[in-house]
Amino acid sequence: MCNLQGSISRGNKNRRPPEKVRRRFSLLLLNLEEYYFEQHTANHILCDSHQNERKIRGSLKICSKSVIFEPDKTFQPIIKIPLRDCIKIEKQGDDGANRLFVKTQHGKISLVFSQVYFIKEHNIVAPYKIERGKMQYVFELDIAGKVEDVVETLLQLHRASCLDKLGDQTAMITAILQSRLARTSFDKNRFQSLSEILKMECKAEMVTPLVTNPGHVCITDTNLYFQPLNGYPKPVVQITLQDVRRIYKRRHGLMPLGLEVFCTEDDLCSDIYLKFYESQDRDELYFYIATYLENHITEHTAESYMLQWQRGHISNYQYLLHLNNLADRSCNDLSQYPVFPWIINDYFSAELDLSNPETFRDLSKPIGALNKERLERLLIRYQEMPDPKFMYGSHYSSPGYVLFYLVRIAPEHMLCLQNGRFDHADRMFNSIAETWKNCLDGATDFKELIPEFYGDDFSFLVNSLKLDLGKRQGGKMVDDVELPPWASDPKDFLQKSKEALESNYVSEHLHEWIDLIFGYKQKGNEAIGAHNIFHPLTYEGGVDLNSIEDPDEKVAMLTQILEFGQTPKQLFVIPHPRRITPKVKSLSQPSSQSASLADSPVSPGEESFEDLTEESRTLAWNNITKLKLYETYKIHKEAVTGIAVSYNGSSIFTTSQDSTLKMFSKESKTLQRSISFSNMALSSCLVLPGDNTVISSSWDNNVYFYSIAFGRRQDTLMGHDDAVSKISWHNNRLFSASWDSTVKVWPCVPLEMTETKRHHFELLAELEHDVSVDTISLNAAGTLLVSGTKEGSVNIWDLSTATMLHQIACHSGTVYCAAFSPDSRHVLSTGEDGCLKIIDVQTGMLISSMTSEHPQRCFLWDGNCVLAGSQSGELLVWDLIEARVSERIQGHTGAVTSIWMNEQCSSIITGGEDRQIMFWKLQY
């Protein structure tokens, strides 16, 4: 639940009735942009016709635009007198005559005014009652000595309220506020410990929905404090830095002045939202907290959350919450409240069929484009409109829309926003189906939903406070929200809405809605093409308030923007990848194997074995941190550059910069052969199916074929003009990468399948690059190839057409290694710059970036976890979802340059610059 609801007590069906609540005053009784300065215990003096006095005990609140008196007895109404309606403010003499600033023992203040509001009589939340006409109220302060100061303050605030120009009013009230803040400071006696070290102190305001509360912020080495100037709602707010999990810089009032602090990982509600008067103060406080958190938590980006979402580690609901947070949406700011999509299109059927695509709203279109006829009318108006053009005269999220949905649990917020009134009964949130129909057909209604529609608390759908929200035209009173036929009760409605949000259909299409709200279709030509154009003032950077010199114009502009609603900060500038949804068959199966399996019967035993192998892989990767070294051999004179193992597992082949190919027996633990093709370094090797041939690539521009059975070189492929850096093999095709800026594809049938003694090399395709290619890798199906270059670019190629799909500038320096995830959805690359980058294959979007102390020279990964060989000689286990190193395993004394893993993922071999090969096993 949000702070919006929490501010009136967290919504639940067992909430106590309002008359039981002792504290009735709230900052929501103030006008928008009004401050509460101080309070004084006092009596409200009432005189009857015979001049008999009656005293009502209570508290007098001095605010920047009003005087509020809260009686102690809850059946009596709260009195609010606007200062602009005051005719005379003075100190009252003891003889009953009104004399300004006469010294007397009585502490009475007289207010003469023309309008007064009565609020929460009998402690019932209802529209304010207004009484007009010339009146006089007298208040007697408990401390008579404070009367002169209070009267002087009221006269000063009265002058501000009566200024003609709104900008002048705001400037004078701001000056009064700053003067008060300058005369006070944070009370250090509020520190939790005498040993705390002060880091910084500054002025700020605590932000809650519709109101801000000025005071002093203080941060120490262990705590963050906020002390309200008025001591409301409590003397000090304290947050232990150790509890902080996330911090976000925020735009507040279109200015970079906000900071929001969360002590939970997934909640929408923050623990405190602060607005600073200077961006430098905000940035300095952010720096202190961020520095403290650096060694405690991982900072998440939109891309890192995207990876978690794509791989099913967080739900659609959680992902949308995180995107809202990153896009400056906060439940403390109603002009930037989190926005969620309408999902369901059917609010009339008796049963909700989530298997039927027609049940769902088209997520590729904004609300305004869902109705074709309405869209045509809007387009005609748009085409005839002078610049700046916009399609929709209202936004999809605004303070009014948020409170439209939440009025039953946040009625005081609605009254605050609408000057003490509820909306007309027929315009209330009466029915889910009616609201959806109006969003489809209404000329000016384009609103989306809020997170509460997919949460657990259904109290916003029920009038549990028994509010009098008015009577509709048909005579029916506004009460609980009318639900669709397929929902048995509010709890069932939320449960089915959540199921719809997490359904396969939505998972497959949610990225389309994200493109509209947070992504590349939010602005520019893509937005025009998607019919997603709102008023220019709603977009970040749509207006520069600092450039507006006229204070009246500035205040009016800001008010208009905040009331109209704001478009989220743009998070993505290229198409958002779609979610990976479960399929019947694994996408990592090579196409040729899939075809043969489909054409031939598979015994139950074979199927079980396949499942068992996959299960063993998953188990192995879940325990990859338990890797143990059990054998080490030094068989080369220079760095090891490649490792390959025969299909039967009996022989290990390694290449090295010492120009040799070595054959090592796994059973006898002895070196069996050492082959040299030239005096140049060998860069990689692989064993062909059948275990008869080993292929090695060389810096002498050649690729060598070596017969294991005959112990001699069979053939040489002279296909490049510079060193061959890496080779791969799939389905009788050889792929060779070279420093000559090419990757070449060669059809190549193994010798044992031909009658001749030599291979026939015929160039099938050439993938041209701008610079040297240092690494390549194929996806499991052999349909895609990724290459990494000397200058840091990662390129993804479609091998069926030999065309480049994406070129991504990933690294500053050489790409050491790049490989597809088993499902072919992502590419991971590591480089000379020490970075690990993850790319979405479908869109080419860089979705995650991590930095290590040392470059990662080689790696293996399963899509979620990485086992990387580091320049430091360690093996690092990276948790990609948490974006951190989960284990460091000591290994080589120089860089780990090559790594191999068996099919069951239980046995690993590494080679390094220390000339050693190391054998590792998982022990669990």
Side-chain angles (χ1 to χ4, degrees):
M1 267 304 128
C2 306
N3 288 349
L4 178 63
Q5 300 172 41
S7 64
I8 62 165
S9 85
R10 288 188 180 272
N12 64 75
K13 58 184 178 181
N14 297 317
R15 184 189 288 110
R16 296 181 298 174
E19 57 268 19
K20 300 291 185 182
V21 181
R22 290 189 60 83
R23 174 179 281 170
R24 294 191 296 158
F25 173 76
S26 157
L27 295 179
L28 292 167
L29 301 183
L30 279 60
N31 293 350
L32 295 176
E33 304 298 319
E34 184 176 7
Y35 296 109
Y36 165 37
F37 285 143
E38 60 191 53
Q39 73 165 354
H40 304 275
T41 51
N43 294 312
H44 179 202
I45 309 297
L46 298 175
C47 295
D48 60 20
S49 58
H50 301 290
Q51 295 298 307
N52 296 318
E53 285 190 355
R54 182 165 64 93
K55 296 183 177 181
I56 298 176
R57 189 74 174 152
S59 173
L60 189 69
K61 324 278 187 184
I62 310 301
C63 307
S64 60
K65 298 180 181 179
S66 62
V67 176
I68 296 175
F69 181 75
E70 179 188 17
D72 288 347
K73 295 187 181 298
T74 57
F75 68 86
Q76 293 170 327
I78 294 172
I79 298 167
K80 178 179 178 180
I81 305 169
L83 286 170
R84 70 174 181 274
D85 294 326
C86 286
I87 301 167
K88 188 180 291 185
I89 301 171
E90 57 189 9
K91 178 177 177 181
Q92 188 181 63
D94 60 343
D95 60 354
N98 293 339
R99 296 186 308 230
L100 188 58
F101 301 128
V102 175
K103 292 187 178 180
T104 147
Q105 61 184 2
H106 296 286
K108 294 181 180 179
I109 299 172
S110 169
L111 300 178
V112 180
F113 49 87
S114 60
Q115 182 170 259
V116 62
Y117 295 90
F118 298 102
I119 305 169
K120 296 174 83 168
E121 188 172 4
H122 298 290
N123 210 15
I124 294 173
V125 178
Y128 301 170
K129 294 179 181 177
I130 305 174
E131 189 174 322
R132 295 183 176 91
K134 189 174 181 180
M135 292 164 274
Q136 180 186 15
Y137 280 4
V138 176
F139 300 98
E140 180 183 47
L141 303 190
D142 279 10
I143 303 175
K146 292 203 171 184
V147 171
E148 290 188 11
D149 287 341
V150 172
V151 170
E152 185 178 347
T153 298
L154 289 175
L155 289 170
Q156 192 179 27
L157 293 170
H158 178 254
R159 285 195 297 274
S161 296
C162 293
L163 292 172
D164 291 335
K165 293 185 175 182
L166 188 60
D168 293 339
Q169 291 181 27
T170 302
M172 186 170 177
I173 291 171
T174 300
I176 294 170
L177 170 63
Q178 292 301 320
S179 174
R180 283 175 167 259
L181 287 170
R183 295 196 304 268
T184 58
S185 62
F186 185 87
D187 181 5
K188 307 302 188 295
N189 292 321
R190 295 287 181 180
F191 282 179
Q192 294 288 300
S193 168
L194 293 174
S195 61
E196 284 186 67
I197 301 171
L198 176 66
K199 295 293 185 181
M200 73 167 287
E201 178 184 347
C202 65
K203 299 174 289 184
E205 296 176 12
M206 187 168 76
V207 180
T208 52
L210 296 182
V211 293
T212 60
N213 201 12
H216 295 275
V217 170
C218 185
I219 187 168
T220 69
D221 56 335
T222 54
N223 290 289
L224 171 67
Y225 299 94
F226 176 76
Q227 186 172 30
L229 185 64
N230 50 34
Y232 178 89
K234 56 184 180 179
V236 69
V237 177
Q238 177 258 329
I239 292 175
T240 305
L241 293 181
Q242 193 172 351
D243 294 337
V244 174
R245 290 295 171 266
R246 294 176 288 145
I247 53 172
Y248 297 98
K249 292 181 179 180
R250 297 287 191 219
R251 286 179 300 159
H252 188 274
L254 302 186
M255 303 292 285
L257 299 172
L259 182 70
E260 196 160 20
V261 180
F262 292 78
C263 291
T264 56
E265 187 55 51
D266 294 318
D267 281 358
L268 180 64
C269 307
S270 65
D271 290 79
I272 193 168
Y273 186 138
L274 296 169
K275 172 210 166 186
F276 296 80
Y277 299 110
E278 302 290 340
S279 58
Q280 183 178 346
D281 288 337
R282 190 275 303 267
D283 294 342
E284 189 175 349
L285 189 75
Y286 179 90
F287 170 78
Y288 281 121
I289 300 177
T291 302
Y292 180 89
L293 298 181
E294 241 177 30
N295 299 320
H296 297 79
I297 64 171
T298 303
E299 182 179 357
H300 286 291
T301 62
E303 289 77 18
S304 65
Y305 283 126
M306 183 199 295
L307 181 65
Q308 293 184 51
W309 172 71
Q310 274 197 291
R311 299 208 155 270
H313 291 269
I314 58 176
S315 65
N316 292 338
Y317 175 81
Q318 289 172 310
Y319 186 46
L320 289 176
L321 283 188
H322 289 310
L323 292 185
N324 272 284
N325 247 323
L326 291 165
D328 271 348
R329 312 302 283 189
S330 167
C331 58
N332 283 302
D333 185 349
L334 296 191
S335 69
Q336 298 189 92
Y337 201 79
V339 57
F340 268 58
W342 284 96
I343 292 295
I344 298 169
N345 185 41
D346 178 8
Y347 292 101
F348 300 98
S349 299
E351 299 291 332
L352 187 66
D353 182 5
L354 296 181
S355 65
N356 181 5
E358 297 298 318
T359 298
F360 299 94
R361 165 255 183 109
D362 185 346
L363 289 165
S364 69
K365 297 177 181 178
I367 291 291
L370 292 175
N371 181 327
K372 186 178 179 181
E373 292 180 2
R374 178 177 65 175
L375 178 62
E376 288 174 355
R377 294 194 300 270
L378 290 168
L379 283 172
I380 292 171
R381 190 189 70 173
Y382 173 75
Q383 288 158 4
E384 295 172 350
M385 186 182 294
D387 290 333
K389 295 185 177 188
F390 55 91
M391 286 194 62
Y392 308 116
S394 63
H395 206 253
Y396 51 75
S397 175
S398 70
Y401 289 160
V402 173
L403 295 178
F404 168 84
Y405 291 127
L406 298 181
V407 64
R408 289 168 177 78
I409 56 171
E412 290 186 79
H413 290 80
M414 177 66 87
L415 293 172
C416 176
L417 184 69
Q418 300 200 151
N419 299 314
R421 299 186 303 272
F422 289 133
D423 206 347
H424 189 278
D426 286 301
R427 291 196 296 267
M428 283 283 192
F429 180 32
N430 293 303
S431 157
I432 304 288
E434 278 183 21
T435 302
W436 172 239
K437 185 177 185 302
N438 203 50
C439 288
L440 289 180
D441 301 336
T444 60
D445 193 348
F446 312 105
K447 60 179 170 284
E448 292 279 9
L449 295 182
I450 55 176
E452 283 77 0
F453 278 81
Y454 305 102
D456 298 317
D457 189 343
F458 56 80
S459 59
F460 75 100
L461 298 169
V462 181
N463 187 17
S464 58
L465 294 176
K466 302 304 176 186
L467 300 165
D468 183 357
L469 297 172
K471 185 181 291 186
R472 304 188 68 181
Q473 283 185 355
K476 185 178 180 181
M477 294 297 295
V478 176
D479 197 26
D480 296 347
V481 177
E482 185 180 329
L483 303 174
W486 46 257
S488 59
D489 55 37
K491 183 177 181 181
D492 184 50
F493 171 76
L494 289 192
Q495 180 59 40
K496 286 175 178 170
S497 296
K498 286 191 287 185
E499 289 171 3
L501 179 63
E502 303 302 334
S503 66
N504 279 341
Y505 178 89
V506 174
S507 292
E508 291 171 359
H509 293 276
L510 187 58
H511 65 284
E512 297 172 334
W513 186 82
I514 292 171
D515 284 335
L516 295 169
I517 306 301
F518 303 104
Y520 82 112
K521 290 184 179 179
Q522 186 196 90
K523 299 177 184 177
N525 291 332
E526 293 289 350
I528 294 172
H531 308 306
N532 194 37
I533 301 295
F534 294 86
H535 195 285
L537 291 179
T538 67
Y539 295 94
E540 183 178 24
V543 61
D544 181 7
L545 287 178
N546 290 325
S547 67
I548 302 175
E549 296 181 358
D550 186 317
D552 278 348
E553 185 184 345
K554 181 181 290 190
V555 171
M557 182 74 73
L558 180 59
T559 302
Q560 178 186 350
I561 292 168
L562 297 183
E563 290 181 359
F564 191 85
Q566 295 177 66
T567 301
K569 182 166 69 177
Q570 189 174 26
L571 299 178
F572 310 106
V573 294
I574 60 175
H576 189 288
R578 63 186 296 175
R579 194 174 197 188
I580 301 169
T581 51
K583 302 293 181 186
V584 177
K585 276 286 180 183
S586 171
L587 293 174
S588 62
Q589 284 286 350
S591 55
S592 58
Q593 291 184 14
S594 298
S596 62
L597 286 172
D599 295 338
S600 59
V602 180
S603 71
E606 287 176 295
E607 188 67 38
S608 299
F609 178 75
E610 183 179 311
D611 293 342
L612 187 63
T613 303
E614 185 58 39
E615 187 177 325
S616 70
R617 289 194 195 104
T618 302
L619 182 63
W621 275 105
N622 288 341
N623 291 274
I624 201 71
T625 57
K626 299 175 182 177
L627 206 59
K628 301 296 180 186
L629 176 66
Y630 73 97
E631 286 175 340
T632 302
Y633 299 94
K634 185 176 287 188
I635 59 175
H636 283 285
K637 297 178 180 178
E638 297 292 341
V640 177
T641 57
I643 300 172
V645 177
S646 58
Y647 283 74
N648 62 22
S650 63
S651 300
I652 293 97
F653 297 89
T654 59
T655 53
S656 168
Q657 289 184 3
D658 65 8
S659 77
T660 63
L661 169 69
K662 306 281 189 181
M663 178 175 172
F664 187 85
S665 171
K666 185 178 178 181
E667 295 176 3
S668 64
K669 306 295 188 293
T670 58
L671 181 64
Q672 294 187 321
R673 299 181 194 174
S674 179
I675 307 102
S676 181
F677 302 111
S678 73
N679 60 356
M680 298 287 283
L682 298 180
S683 55
S684 64
C685 61
L686 56 85
V687 179
L688 295 188
D691 286 346
N692 292 310
T693 305
V694 180
I695 309 178
S696 299
S697 56
S698 174
W699 284 7
D700 67 4
N701 311 352
N702 297 328
V703 177
Y704 295 99
F705 291 72
Y706 176 80
S707 170
I708 299 172
F710 294 99
R712 58 181 172 81
R713 182 174 65 185
Q714 282 182 333
D715 218 332
T716 303
L717 170 60
M718 295 179 284
H720 287 281
D721 299 324
D722 205 337
V724 181
S725 53
K726 189 74 179 288
I727 52 173
S728 291
W729 177 275
H730 185 272
N731 206 20
N732 294 334
R733 288 181 180 177
L734 175 67
F735 302 82
S736 58
S738 171
W739 294 354
D740 67 6
S741 306
T742 66
V743 174
K744 295 184 177 181
V745 186
W746 313 87
C748 194
V749 181
L751 275 179
E752 63 272 16
M753 298 173 66
T754 66
E755 297 178 0
T756 61
K757 294 185 178 181
R758 298 184 66 82
H759 291 87
H760 292 283
F761 300 116
E762 183 178 340
L763 183 62
L764 182 66
E766 182 172 330
L767 312 180
E768 294 187 357
H769 297 67
D770 296 329
V771 292
S772 302
V773 183
D774 280 80
T775 186
I776 56 169
S777 182
L778 300 170
N779 70 334
T783 56
L784 299 172
L785 179 143
V786 60
S787 57
T789 70
K790 182 180 180 181
E791 292 186 357
S793 70
V794 173
N795 310 282
I796 300 174
W797 299 81
D798 181 350
L799 293 176
S800 65
T801 58
T803 56
M804 185 188 293
L805 299 177
H806 306 291
Q807 183 175 49
I808 307 99
C810 281
H811 299 276
S812 56
T814 301
V815 179
Y816 282 140
C817 191
F820 289 92
S821 57
D823 59 14
S824 301
R825 297 298 185 99
H826 296 119
V827 163
L828 174 67
S829 66
T830 60
E832 188 180 5
D833 55 5
C835 293
L836 292 83
K837 304 289 181 85
I838 300 178
I839 299 160
D840 180 77
V841 172
Q842 179 195 7
T843 63
M845 179 185 287
L846 184 62
I847 63 172
S848 184
S849 180
M850 295 154 285
T851 305
S852 55
E853 299 172 31
H854 304 279
Q856 311 293 285
R857 296 286 296 273
C858 55
F859 65 82
L860 303 163
W861 74 312
D862 72 337
N864 299 314
C865 185
V866 180
L867 178 64
S870 174
Q871 183 80 32
S872 65
E874 299 170 296
L875 292 181
L876 302 185
V877 179
W878 289 81
D879 183 335
L880 296 180
I881 305 305
E882 294 295 327
R884 63 182 178 87
V885 175
S886 57
E887 190 70 31
R888 293 177 179 271
I889 304 168
Q890 295 301 318
H892 294 264
T893 55
V896 184
T897 52
S898 191
I899 189 167
W900 173 90
M901 176 184 277
N902 68 342
E903 186 180 1
Q904 290 74 30
C905 309
S906 58
S907 180
I908 290 160
I909 305 172
T910 59
E913 284 186 348
D914 59 2
R915 300 169 286 172
Q916 297 187 97
I917 57 170
M918 294 185 172
F919 292 78
W920 308 78
K921 278 189 178 177
L922 285 178
Q923 295 184 357
Y924 55 90

